[in-house]
Amino acid sequence: MMKKTRRSVVAIVMGSDSDWPVMKKAFDTLQLLNVPCEVHVLSAHRTPKRMLEFAENARANGVKVIIAGAGGAAHLPGMIASATTIPVVGVPVHITKAAGLDALLSIVQMPAGVPVATVAIDNAQNAALLAGQILSVSDLSIAKRVEKKLSLLRKRAHQKVIRSQKSLQTLVRKSL
Ligand code: RP5
């Protein structure tokens, strides 16, 4: 019997497969959250027609959130956002000597009417968490898994600060 695949509710798109090492973090996080997703390479300047076709049909195809990553003159997230009303989360990818700042500014500086929710440079994990949070508004089972993952991450961050405080105090005591 053929394995039944669930319909993707998140699409992860990127300008090049060279973005994958960064964008994989979004894929891995969505797997952990058990959110069905699909992955595409689509370039705003190299395959503009394919990109538009994807964006225009995304809602009809069941996609509810799009995560779009690109580096350099990163117009992919904004171009996709201009052709759909599905929420778009942009991931600036660090690929040039500008250390991702070029992509960050390209993605975050969208004008009124074409919003792109932009995460930090290379932070594809946050893009997936944000997508999970958006979906959790209308899906209680995703909400539970997102809550579990967020509380785990926050607990770890909390413990790290406690450990840092202890080691800093030890260092300071030693230098007195
Ligand atoms: C952007 O150009 C892509 O998103 C990628 O980050 C960058 C470089 O692409 P490649 O030259 O590695 O294909 O469109």
Side-chain angles (χ1 to χ4, degrees), residues 118-135:
T118 311
V119 296
I121 296 166
D122 290 347
N123 201 332
Q125 183 188 34
N126 261 2
L129 292 171
L130 191 54
Q133 286 177 302
I134 293 168
L135 295 168

Side-chain angles (χ1 to χ4, degrees), residues 15-16 18-19 45-46 69-71 95:
S16 166
S18 63
D19 299 319
H45 53 276
R46 290 181 271 207
I95 54 146

Side-chain angles (χ1 to χ4, degrees), residues 14-19 42-46 69-76 93-96:
M14 63 212 80
S16 166
D17 60 356
S18 63
D19 299 319
L42 287 171
S43 168
H45 53 276
R46 290 181 271 207
H75 35 225
L76 180 68
V93 179
H94 168 186
I95 54 146
T96 66

Side-chain angles (χ1 to χ4, degrees), residues 20-129:
W20 178 240
V22 167
M23 299 308 290
K24 187 178 179 303
K25 285 180 258 167
F27 179 77
D28 291 343
T29 304
L30 290 171
Q31 297 299 300
L32 273 178
L33 295 175
N34 198 14
V35 171
C37 67
E38 60 194 40
V39 179
H40 305 278
V41 174
L42 287 171
S43 168
H45 53 276
R46 290 181 271 207
T47 58
K49 284 186 184 152
R50 285 171 72 96
M51 176 213 59
L52 271 182
E53 197 187 315
F54 161 81
E56 285 167 357
N57 295 314
R59 184 185 290 277
N61 286 334
V63 174
K64 294 182 175 160
V65 183
I66 297 170
I67 296 175
H75 35 225
L76 180 68
M79 288 295 291
I80 286 183
S82 76
T84 183
T85 52
I86 293 172
V88 177
V89 183
V91 183
V93 179
H94 168 186
I95 54 146
T96 66
K97 286 182 180 158
L101 200 57
D102 43 1
L104 172 65
L105 294 176
S106 302
I107 296 173
V108 82
Q109 289 285 25
M110 289 302 292
V114 193
V116 174
T118 311
V119 296
I121 296 166
D122 290 347
N123 201 332
Q125 183 188 34
N126 261 2
L129 292 171

